[in-house]
Amino acid sequence: MKNNTDCIILNHVNKSFGDKQVLKDVSLHVPYGCIYGLLGPSGCGKTTTVKIMAGISESTSGETYVLGEKMPRLSLMNEIGYMAQSDALYMMLSAADNLEFFAAVYGMKKEQYKKRILEVMELVNLSEDLNKPVSAYSGGMKRRLSLAMAILHNPKVLILDEPTA
């Protein structure tokens, strides 16, 4: 579905886990350049919706499009920055090592990611903690490092699940 105004589209999305339906007829259009938030009580399906948008989970029915492409689509993963509800960090490694690992996963070249790591760490105010093991980070520092990893590859779309947790 080509749509030049919306970067994320959910059309009549449903999601069930066995007999339990967690999403029912969800439709949403997020225009390019906008910030959207999903608000609701615990257990209402926000994380499930976010995972469907990010291509991590597939809807039971309905359609999801990101950047004009039907999701899930592996080729779009480098265009999406995703920060999960819980931090996906290697605790025994330094922040620099974590970022280098994810840069390699994103297919970034060494000369490209060396500079970008410094930029994102500055952006999240962790520059002085770049070589500290993540196990020594506070909870807030870990969330900021997770954000740095989500934006490391300059994604066109940034999807954050519980960014203030």
Side-chain angles (χ1 to χ4, degrees):
M1 166 183 262
K2 289 296 177 189
N3 177 327
N4 293 331
T5 59
D6 297 317
C7 72
I8 299 173
I9 301 170
L10 278 71
N11 284 325
H12 306 287
V13 168
N14 295 283
K15 178 68 176 180
S16 296
F17 295 100
D19 292 338
K20 182 171 170 78
Q21 185 170 14
V22 294
L23 297 180
K24 184 176 181 182
D25 198 33
V26 175
S27 292
L28 172 71
H29 289 240
V30 179
Y32 282 94
C34 289
I35 298 171
Y36 267 59
L38 299 178
L39 302 175
S42 181
C44 75
K46 297 180 302 292
T47 292
T48 301
T49 302
V50 164
K51 286 181 176 180
I52 289 170
M53 283 188 247
I56 294 166
S57 183
E58 199 167 356
S59 61
T60 305
S61 64
E63 298 177 317
T64 302
Y65 296 88
V66 175
L67 300 171
E69 301 290 333
K70 192 164 180 8
M71 294 298 281
R73 181 169 301 247
L74 189 58
S75 62
L76 264 187
M77 299 319 284
N78 278 357
E79 305 295 332
I80 298 171
Y82 174 71
M83 186 173 85
Q85 190 172 15
S86 55
D87 300 312
L89 304 168
Y90 294 100
M91 294 298 167
M92 300 314 292
L93 298 179
S94 68
D97 291 337
N98 271 274
L99 289 163
E100 285 181 20
F101 172 77
F102 278 91
V105 169
Y106 289 128
M108 297 174 74
K109 304 228 180 310
K110 191 171 188 172
E111 62 276 359
Q112 179 189 22
Y113 73 68
K114 287 291 187 187
K115 179 180 180 226
R116 184 67 181 149
I117 286 172
L118 297 176
E119 291 172 355
V120 297
M121 288 298 277
E122 178 71 28
L123 192 64
V124 299
N125 198 24
L126 288 174
S127 295
E128 293 183 15
D129 301 293
L130 183 61
N131 296 308
K132 183 187 288 188
V134 174
S135 60
Y137 275 32
S138 69
M141 292 169 78
K142 290 175 188 171
R143 292 306 285 161
R144 288 185 283 145
L145 178 57
S146 292
L147 177 60
M149 289 192 319
I151 63 175
L152 180 64
H153 62 296
N154 283 312
K156 292 180 181 175
V157 176
L158 182 59
I159 298 174
L160 310 174
D161 189 3
E162 298 278 355
T164 61

